[in-house]
Structures are given as C-alpha cells and as structure tokens.
Amino acid sequence: ILNVEQSPQSLHVQEGDSTNFTCSFPSSNFYALHWYRWETAKSPEALFVMTLNGDEKKKGRISATLNTKEGYSYLYIKGSQPEDSATYLCAGDSNYQLIWGAGTKLIIKP
Amino acid sequence: DAGITQSPRYKITETGRQVTLMCHQTWSHSYMFWYRQDLGHGLRLIYYSAAADITDKGEVPDGYVVSRSKTENFPLTLESATRSQTSVYFCASSPTGANVLTFGAGSRLTVL
C-alpha cells in the first residue's frame, strides 16, 4: 500500500504570485497519480490523472508534473487568484485503490 | 438529475443506533467508493465496489457494512454507531478503477 505525503501542509500566497507544492509517493508499485482541488464546503474535483514518467498536464493556470522514478509530483499555479484558494489533494493509485495525501491548503492573500 | 447524490446531507444520531447513508449515481459507473474525512487525516477509504454484488474493504472498514444490489446505488450502513464515526462521508464513482473520481456533496454525520 502506498504512503502519500504532501508538503507543505498549508501555504499563504500573495495574489498574483506563482506557487508550487509537492506530492511524494513510493516509486514502486505505482500505477497513476491523481490531483484534486477541494474548496471549502464543496466536494473534491479532479484536476489531473498522470501515469507516465515525465508526464506534464495543464489546465489554465494550473499544471502538474510527474516523476515516477523518484516518486514525486509537483503542482504549479501561475499568477494565483482568490478563486485558487482551496485544499489540493493528491492520491496515488496502486492496484485501483487510491491512497490520499492529507492535502496542501492554499490561501491566497489579496 | 444526472450526477451523484448523497442523502441525508446532515444526520445527528445517538450511540448504538443504526444509520444508513445513501449514494446514488446516474452514469452507470462500475466503481463506487465510500470515504470518510476527518480533521488531520486525508480521505480514508471505507469500502469500494467494482460492480453490482462486488464489494471490498478499504482502509477503515470496521463498523461499516455496504451492499450493491444495483449498479446505481451504494448504501453505507453503520450498524451500531459510535462517537468515533462522527465524520463527513463522501461517496464517489468512476467508470473504471483507473479513472478520475466524481464525488458526491458529502454527508455530515454526528454521533452523540
């Protein structure tokens, strides 16, 4: 079973600044890496699913990269906006079971 | 309405009572999942189902029972609720085991 770690636990970023955070997972027994955005009082929404080493996905100002050999994924947000405030969850997919990190809580300061 | 719906959204019950949380999806997704979310923990999988009549334990199954007699429904039952089961419960579904999950709005359960 994977153990998925996210860092930092929380992050305060000035509006307009870019930021990134990390998801770490054991590189063995890996199938896919998921990123979700979870806004307060809502349910998690999928951002990306990545499977291949070196994969890079982009959705507007948000992008993610994957390194399966060293066991990490980065999520980048360019030019942070207030609507980016949320908890960002990553989940490692091993044998069709998602193991979730505890999330990075992102707060955008106006 | 299309989507995944959970009911009730809020429930207060007493220790020892039986509680059932309902989950219904309209996409005919094969996979359905129940998670609980607690402060200081990520989402923890309680049970999942790969198809009708197929269920399997997740990380924290003790104290919970599930069934999946129809593809679209995946109820979660707490047979004798305990205070430690106070949590927010999320149901999710996906077309296959390797696809993104779509989550319901959550059910907040308080056990007194």
Side-chain angles (χ1 to χ4, degrees):
Chain A
I1 293 183
L2 297 179
N3 186 31
V4 177
E5 304 282 345
Q6 289 188 249
S7 62
Q9 193 172 12
S10 65
L11 192 54
H12 289 73
V13 173
Q14 198 69 38
E15 182 177 350
D17 287 353
S18 296
T19 187
N20 66 83
F21 27 91
T22 308
C23 175
S24 302
F25 52 88
S27 52
S28 60
N29 226 19
F30 168 85
Y31 181 76
L33 194 285
H34 297 228
W35 280 103
Y36 289 75
R37 176 169 60 201
W38 193 355
E39 294 178 67
T40 302
K42 294 186 178 180
S43 48
E45 289 184 342
L47 289 172
F48 309 113
V49 179
M50 296 182 288
T51 57
L52 300 175
N53 185 46
D55 215 356
E56 183 170 343
K57 300 254 179 164
K58 190 174 179 182
K59 189 175 183 177
R61 293 178 293 97
I62 303 176
S63 60
T65 60
L66 180 66
N67 184 323
T68 60
K69 292 183 180 177
E70 295 182 35
Y72 64 83
S73 174
Y74 292 138
L75 189 83
Y76 300 90
I77 301 177
K78 186 177 176 183
S80 303
Q81 299 298 309
E83 60 265 28
D84 296 328
S85 292
T87 296
Y88 291 83
L89 299 173
C90 71
D93 190 337
S94 172
N95 197 27
Y96 302 130
Q97 273 203 40
L98 287 182
I99 305 297
W100 298 81
T104 292
K105 185 170 184 176
L106 177 64
I107 298 163
I108 307 301
K109 299 181 289 185
Chain B
D1 289 338
I4 182 166
T5 53
Q6 292 184 231
S7 62
R9 293 289 315 279
Y10 303 92
K11 176 76 177 177
I12 300 174
T13 191
E14 293 177 338
T15 301
R17 299 232 180 198
Q18 183 178 84
V19 175
T20 296
L21 305 179
M22 303 301 293
C23 181
H24 175 78
Q25 51 103 356
T26 60
W27 298 298
S28 298
H29 283 175
S30 294
Y31 280 77
M32 295 187 77
F33 306 83
W34 274 108
Y35 289 93
R36 60 179 289 173
Q37 192 260 329
D38 305 290
L39 222 61
H41 292 276
L43 289 166
R44 291 185 291 174
L45 182 65
I46 304 170
Y47 270 95
Y48 70 100
S49 168
D53 296 323
I54 301 174
T55 62
D56 210 345
K57 294 178 181 179
E59 188 185 349
V60 289
D62 293 343
Y64 303 95
V65 174
V66 293
S67 62
R68 187 123 180 250
S69 57
K70 292 184 178 181
T71 300
E72 59 267 31
N73 296 325
F74 191 39
L76 176 75
T77 298
L78 290 67
E79 292 191 305
S80 179
T82 64
R83 290 200 180 112
S84 64
Q85 292 178 308
T86 292
S87 186
V88 181
Y89 291 86
F90 285 95
C91 178
S93 72
S94 70
T96 72
N99 267 22
V100 296
L101 269 60
T102 302
F103 285 84
S107 295
R108 182 176 291 275
L109 175 68
T110 302
V111 183
L112 301 176

